[in-house]
Amino acid sequence: MDTIDTCYGPLPIEGLVERRPDGGVRAAFLAAPAALATSIGRLVPQHTIDDARRMTKPPVTFHDNGQVRSLPLETRTVVETPAGPLPAELVTFHDNGAVARVFPLNGKLSGYWTEADEAGLAETLPLATPVGRLSAKWLAVAFDPKGRLRSLTLWPGEELPVPTPCGQLPVRLGLSFHPGGTLRSIEPARPVEAPTLAGPVWAFDPDAVGIAGDDNSLAFTPDGETSRLATVRTAVAVRLPDGSRRELAPKVRDSICGDGDHELTPLVLTFSPDAVTAAHGCAKPFAVIPKTGAHFTARPFVSAFAVSFVPKQCSM
């Protein structure tokens, strides 16, 4: 049996080994049991395929300095994290060896195993967080290189009440934290009122995609001020220093179903110390307005009440 030398000792491998230009190992498939001593305990990488959930054997990957980067586990293993014990089928690490993300489940979706099948295995898990103890079905739990909780990603369909600078709010998809522990961002589960320099704005992004909870549409400064939000229900009128006026509003678009209906692209407002930046969805900003001398006023976006908040599900 072939082996490779790593900082964790020799590892039994099968197939090709992906290497960096300097000859160091970047990725390899394990062929037999081998325990790696990590910052969260000794973990055994996946080396077999035993059911329809795990139709392929993912490789173990390594950082340029030799530290393990991505570690799929042979069996679901409870690991000790800074937020408490978590069952894990996949763990990733920072290049300093600290845990980066813990995935309680790591099944491979296919025609034989669907997202609904995988979600059926998810269990509600309690976590110690900077905003208190939270319990939900977590898709992933992320930490920064110093071991501080960075973000939480929820399973699709999960909703969780979270204390925020705007009060207790319903959260979907995910939430994240500043290094100091204050709430950095959330993804509102439905329109919620957030205070801004223009007045209250109804924050909600119908286009939000929950790939990771690191960066969400309603964001706060470490002091709890609103720093960014997406809205489909509020427009902002701006009176500029020269007396002219400008309106920042969500965008009405044709439905992707092409049936004559319309949908909304959220207005994304970013509040910096010096300016307010406006964009439509993830597009480049269409306006950057200095705060000095400008007056901002929030008002209902009337067109929103004749348009669906949620993109249509087109039938075939």
Side-chain angles (χ1 to χ4, degrees), residues 204-270:
F204 180 69
D205 184 358
D207 295 336
V209 178
I211 297 175
D214 297 354
D215 194 23
N216 305 288
S217 66
L218 177 54
F220 308 98
T221 67
D223 294 329
E225 301 291 328
T226 302
S227 62
R228 185 185 69 251
L229 57 76
T231 181
V232 290
R233 290 183 53 172
T234 304
V236 174
V238 186
R239 188 176 70 243
L240 299 170
D242 62 4
S244 63
R245 294 179 179 273
R246 185 165 187 182
E247 182 177 82
L248 311 176
K251 183 178 180 180
V252 179
R253 66 183 185 236
D254 291 335
S255 168
I256 59 174
C257 299
D259 56 6
D261 287 343
H262 295 88
E263 297 170 345
L264 294 168
T265 299
L267 171 68
V268 179
L269 298 173
T270 303

